[in-house]
Amino acid sequence: GLLLASASASEGVGLALETQRGGGWQTVALSSGRLASFEVPLADETGGEGRIAFFYSADDVENSAIFQNMVAQLQSSTFEFVAPVVPAVRTSDSNLLFIASFSPAGSGAASSLWPGHLRSYNLATDGSIPDTLVQNWDASTRLGYMASSARKIYTSVGGVRKNFLLNASSGVTASNLGVADDTVAAGVISKVRGLGLGDIFHSTPVLVGNPSLYYMDLSGHAARLDFATSIAHRRRIIVAGANDGMLHAFDAGVWNSSASPPGYTVGYGDEVWSYIPGFLLGNVKDFFLAPATHKYYVDSPAAVADIWIDSNSDHLDAHLASEWHTYLVGGVGKGGNGYFALDITNPVDPKVKWELTSDNTAVLGMTYSKPAIGKMKKITTKTVNGKPTDFYYDQWVAIVGAGKASPAGTTTLTTPVDLTPIHNPYTVSVGSTGDASSSGQITMTVTVNEVKKGKPVTSTYTATGTYTSKTGTIFQDVSFDFSSGKYDYPAGTTLVSWAAGTEGKAILVLDAGSGQILQTLTSSNPSMGEVVAQPTVVTNNLGYIDRFYVGDLDGNLWRGSIDNTANFDLGGNPFFSIGGSTYSRKIYAKASVAKGIAAYPYWWIYFGTGDREDPMGGGTGAVFGVFDDHVIDKRNVVTSNHTENDLTDWTTFFANIADTSTSLPTLDTGTQGWFASLPVVAEKVLSTPTVFNNNLFFTTFEPKTGDCSIGGTARVYGFGIAPGYNAGNYALFSSSSASSADKRVLTFSNVGIPSSPVVSLNSSGVATMYLGTTGSDVKALKIPSPATTKSIRYWKEVF
């Protein structure tokens, strides 16, 4: 969109022009003139529909739908960041870069489908991005060539995989889709099957290849090796969730044994299959029935891992190759309240394994949190020689945050409610329950004109109730507080509102194989905030989870540790709580964990803060490096709560970090690490830090100011972690030709939100860091590599 505007007290007039292509309004221009306010439809030179509007006052301009749509479109372009995907170690057949991007189309009257892309490119041998990129394919283009009838689109009904076709036995029904009849259902299915690739927004793609041959399973090494060998050359796919309602799997290459050397092809980018989570099945009708507004569907990154699932309830039999599987576990972000799992051991034939929704637990909010998958030791008891004896067995788990609470909302009462005790519990019928939690609290408010003591008065009455379930238009089993004294709430004039409730304020430990909730970890003193970040798992030297760390939106960093019952325990307190009031307390991104040395030999946890839901806002973020020196006694798990008072303040260092004469401060004696408010007003951390080769890397975003501003300034920081490792040393290069690292911060102007740093090694052990910004722009940055005397013998990829 282009904005050319002038306004004054005497002649605040403007002209706005929009055209519509591909279902979305695009604002062309706004200019001044002295004309009365009116709107005229027109057609553009391409045959697309358009409209032109004239305004007399500045208020008319700012309040117009055209202007508001244009502003939304401009600001949305800030979020058009890319999610680069690069194999962790690049061999000759995987020297590839995958880039996801999309084109925002504003809001309101904009298209419901924001066009998305997933492209495959060849990298240069040294990891740099060639001046002329060679594109192997764009999944969006390939999908456009595919007949809608040829697509393999699956969903889940009652836990059973179904085809996304109108068929009561093998497909879906009108009832499944939440529509009135088969005619509408057929329209929904036809529309969705014909959609192009939607925006891949918060769902970072995952490249799925062959299992590692080097994973050591102490309970059955031969079985694990047989599993990995049997599918060592399976097809590669790249999976990504999109806001077209689906998780997509695209072809990323097949094994070519006749190549020299043998290896994988780059693939064609064709859609192999797609999946609509069963709990979103009733939402995709909006593409057909209400296609004017962009909505969210599969909008969260998935995790993929090879897991062992015991087929014997005894748990103690030897592992079998057939018990190993490749699982994909994912949420849907703003798309809804649910997690799902697919078995993709055979990449061309996904199997639906489980879905977890707010029907299973009231604490589940919008599922932003990417699952952390790993194994732990569980206990089973058997009788041996007449005595009960404890044995340990492997249990694969997915640890997730309970998510983001549904936003507050308001609706209107449609059926009168008589709050007399005999009717308890009550049924409250409303216009729509909207984004209200699956259970929670509602408040009814009515304003009435009355006569009291002979005088007319206006009175407001409220009643607050707690409901246990809801449908689309009914809050069910509601218990009310009668303190208002007003028992008759009439329909049409009574407002019903709801707040967020307790959604999201928990950490869930799930059986990765079945989706069963093994534990719900929460805290009321202090209260846990909404947990949207991905947990960071720390394993012991045998590969079992020893502890995890995860932040919440109230500024708490929680540590879960294994206790003597082989369960996780939070230890009664958050490990760290942000107490400062001058910077953001919201922890949206995963923390990074690294091992220390010398006086700090245990774990360092690095994380940043910033409001990802309001990246253009003025709130400033902070960055933290907190040391955990607690050797956990599993029989007495107690977590000590730390705050900034226990850390050294490095704010001054960060304010001068670009100055070559500034050195890294030492840590004050007895402190648990360091923290710093970011040096620029409104600068914030919106992604996950990365620790590589004893250096810490993280990105920040500083928005431009003004309603019509686009993008802002992205920064990437890099320096040696402290203490002991490269303390304060430069970890960034001012240019690719620099012979040694000479920068601790690099700045990129007029871009969107930067992604997390992604580090990849080529076959010679040379490291490159990639980060994406706006408009499919990916930076390939030179960073210090491990010593050349070291070589990579094998690589375990953790998804």
Side-chain angles (χ1 to χ4, degrees):
L2 172 66
L3 173 61
L4 302 170
S6 66
S8 67
S10 60
E11 51 178 36
V13 294
L15 165 65
L17 172 65
E18 289 189 322
T19 62
Q20 187 181 45
R21 296 183 180 90
W25 288 103
Q26 301 292 321
T27 301
V28 176
L30 185 73
S31 61
S32 63
R34 180 179 287 279
L35 295 164
S37 300
F38 64 92
E39 184 173 322
V40 180
L42 68 155
D44 66 15
E45 71 280 2
T46 67
E49 181 185 354
R51 60 178 184 248
I52 187 168
F54 299 92
F55 308 99
Y56 180 71
S57 70
D59 286 343
D60 286 344
V61 173
E62 293 181 1
N63 292 328
S64 70
I66 292 179
F67 182 81
Q68 291 173 354
N69 182 47
M70 180 194 66
V71 170
Q73 181 181 325
L74 289 173
Q75 291 190 340
S76 293
S77 64
T78 295
F79 313 137
E80 191 194 352
F81 58 86
V82 299
V85 176
V86 187
V89 172
R90 304 188 313 280
T91 56
S92 59
D93 66 349
S94 61
N95 201 38
L96 301 171
L97 170 70
F98 299 92
I99 302 175
S101 65
F102 64 91
S103 300
S107 62
S111 170
S112 58
L113 188 75
W114 290 1
H117 300 272
L118 178 58
R119 299 180 172 96
S120 167
Y121 296 101
N122 290 329
L123 289 169
T125 305
D126 63 0
S128 63
I129 298 174
D131 292 335
T132 302
L133 272 173
V134 177
Q135 178 177 301
N136 298 311
W137 46 259
D138 179 0
S140 176
T141 302
R142 300 296 297 182
L143 187 56
Y145 294 151
M146 194 172 188
S148 62
S149 59
R151 297 179 67 181
K152 294 181 179 179
I153 302 178
Y154 303 116
T155 187
S156 172
V157 176
V160 178
R161 191 182 83 176
K162 298 284 188 177
N163 295 310
F164 189 64
L165 297 168
L166 190 61
N167 187 303
S169 59
S170 62
V172 298
T173 65
S175 176
N176 299 148
L177 294 168
V179 298
D181 52 48
D182 285 355
T183 300
V184 179
V188 172
I189 292 171
S190 176
K191 177 68 175 180
V192 173
R193 293 189 69 90
L195 290 174
L197 180 61
D199 54 293
I200 301 172
F201 200 157
H202 298 110
S203 177
T204 304
V206 180
L207 182 64
V208 183
N210 51 305
S212 170
L213 296 172
Y214 303 100
Y215 178 82
M216 180 64 71
D217 179 24
L218 299 179
S219 301
H221 176 66
R224 178 61 174 74
L225 187 60
D226 287 346
F227 159 74
T229 303
S230 67
I231 53 175
H233 297 152
R234 67 182 176 186
R235 176 184 287 195
R236 279 182 181 166
I237 57 173
I238 186 165
V239 293
N243 289 318
D244 52 27
M246 305 175 220
L247 174 85
H248 299 269
F250 298 108
D251 169 41
V254 295
W255 183 259
N256 183 1
S257 58
S258 62
S260 182
Y264 277 93
T265 66
V266 297
Y268 293 101
D270 292 325
E271 183 184 70
V272 180
W273 51 264
S274 60
Y275 176 71
I276 301 172
F279 54 86
L280 297 186
L281 193 54
N283 296 356
V284 297
K285 62 179 179 291
D286 291 343
F287 285 109
F288 181 71
L289 297 177
T293 304
H294 175 268
K295 296 183 178 180
Y296 296 93
Y297 293 90
V298 188
D299 192 46
S300 184
V304 176
D306 298 322
I307 67 174
W308 175 77
I309 301 174
D310 193 4
S311 60
N312 190 318
S313 59
D314 184 74
H315 300 302
L316 301 180
D317 289 349
H319 291 188
L320 304 175
S322 60
E323 295 174 333
W324 278 95
H325 306 267
T326 302
Y327 265 46
L328 178 149
V329 183
V332 296
K334 291 184 179 180
N337 300 28
Y339 285 102
F340 63 93
L342 303 176
D343 184 337
I344 57 171
T345 308
N346 180 352
V348 302
D349 186 24
K351 295 177 173 58
V352 174
K353 303 311 295 184
W354 55 262
E355 292 189 345
L356 176 75
T357 70
S358 51
D359 291 337
N360 305 106
T361 171
V363 301
L364 195 64
M366 292 180 286
T367 48
Y368 284 46
S369 180
K370 179 180 177 179
I373 303 176
K375 67 176 179 179
M376 59 183 293
K377 281 193 174 295
K378 295 291 287 183
I379 298 175
T380 186
T381 302
K382 291 187 67 176
T383 300
V384 178
N385 297 326
K387 296 181 179 180
T389 305
D390 288 343
F391 291 88
Y392 289 90
Y393 65 94
D394 292 353
Q395 169 75 66
W396 286 84
V397 296
I399 306 172
V400 297
K404 188 81 166 60
S406 302
T410 303
T411 186
T412 304
L413 194 68
T414 59
T415 303
V417 176
D418 181 5
L419 296 187
T420 53
I422 61 172
H423 297 142
N424 187 54
Y426 304 88
T427 297
V428 178
S429 299
V430 293
S432 170
T433 59
D435 292 321
S437 306
S438 59
S439 62
Q441 191 176 83
I442 59 171
T443 300
M444 297 196 307
T445 305
V446 61
T447 301
V448 295
N449 296 320
E450 300 179 305
V451 177
K452 292 185 176 180
K453 297 181 179 180
K455 295 181 179 180
V457 295
T458 300
S459 302
T460 300
Y461 297 93
T462 63
T464 299
T466 301
Y467 64 96
T468 60
S469 61
K470 69 164 194 171
T471 64
T473 57
I474 296 175
F475 291 106
Q476 296 169 319
D477 295 329
V478 189
S479 298
F480 274 101
D481 172 9
F482 296 103
S483 59
S484 69
K486 179 70 177 180
Y487 296 121
D488 181 21
Y489 284 80
T493 60
T494 299
L495 293 179
V496 180
S497 58
W498 58 86
T502 60
E503 280 185 347
K505 298 181 179 180
I507 302 160
L508 303 177
V509 181
L510 310 178
D511 181 326
S514 68
Q516 176 189 356
I517 300 174
L518 301 177
Q519 287 184 263
T520 299
L521 305 173
T522 189
S523 175
S524 58
N525 186 26
S527 177
M528 181 179 288
E530 298 156 278
V531 184
V532 301
Q534 177 186 1
T536 303
V537 165
V538 177
T539 59
N540 62 22
N541 57 0
L542 297 178
Y544 292 93
I545 300 173
D546 181 66
R547 61 184 76 182
F548 68 80
Y549 300 91
V550 65
D552 67 30
L553 296 187
D554 284 352
N556 300 306
L557 181 72
W558 300 88
R559 181 186 64 188
S561 307
I562 301 290
D563 64 16
N564 65 315
T565 66
N567 287 303
F568 288 101
D569 192 327
L570 297 179
N573 296 289
F575 171 67
F576 183 84
S577 295
I578 300 173
S581 59
T582 60
Y583 39 81
S584 174
R585 296 159 54 90
K586 297 181 182 295
I587 306 173
Y588 270 93
K590 177 185 176 183
S592 185
V593 177
K595 196 72 177 290
I597 61 172
Y600 295 86
Y602 300 113
W603 298 107
W604 281 88
I605 304 95
Y606 301 100
F607 61 96
T609 65
D611 191 349
R612 197 182 77 177
E613 295 299 290
D614 185 22
M616 301 302 289
T620 302
V623 61
F624 299 82
V626 186
F627 178 61
D628 183 2
D629 60 352
H630 187 192
V631 179
I632 296 170
D633 179 356
K634 295 183 179 181
R635 296 186 179 277
N636 185 27
V637 177
V638 177
T639 298
S640 299
N641 182 227
H642 303 292
T643 67
E644 290 94 329
N645 292 333
D646 301 303
L647 308 180
T648 301
D649 190 344
W650 280 8
T651 299
T652 301
F653 164 69
F654 270 84
N656 299 287
I657 197 169
D659 187 341
T660 55
S661 64
T662 301
S663 59
L664 191 75
T666 58
L667 295 177
D668 296 337
T669 302
T671 58
Q672 294 290 134
W674 55 268
F675 79 99
S677 178
L678 290 171
V680 181
V681 173
E683 185 180 7
K684 48 188 71 76
V685 179
L686 302 174
S687 61
T688 298
T690 294
V691 175
F692 176 78
N693 194 28
N694 303 325
N695 293 311
L696 172 66
F697 301 97
F698 63 93
T699 62
T700 67
F701 177 68
E702 173 202 348
K704 284 185 179 179
T705 58
D707 286 343
C708 298
S709 297
I710 304 175
T713 299
R715 294 180 178 85
V716 56
Y717 293 82
F719 54 86
I721 58 177
Y725 289 124
N726 305 340
N729 289 358
Y730 304 113
L732 298 170
F733 292 74
S734 56
S735 68
S736 58
S737 61
S739 59
S740 60
D742 55 358
K743 292 285 187 181
R744 286 184 291 221
V745 60
L746 296 175
T747 301
F748 306 99
S749 301
N750 300 314
V751 297
I753 299 170
S755 70
S756 296
V758 177
V759 176
S760 176
L761 295 173
N762 68 11
S763 56
S764 300
V766 176
T768 304
M769 183 174 69
Y770 302 87
L771 59 95
T773 58
T774 301
S776 302
D777 185 20
V778 174
K779 312 290 185 184
L781 304 179
K782 186 178 179 180
I783 60 173
S785 300
T788 56
T789 55
K790 298 177 181 178
S791 62
I792 299 172
R793 298 183 61 185
Y794 69 90
W795 186 271
K796 173 189 173 186
E797 182 128 16
V798 179
F799 297 96

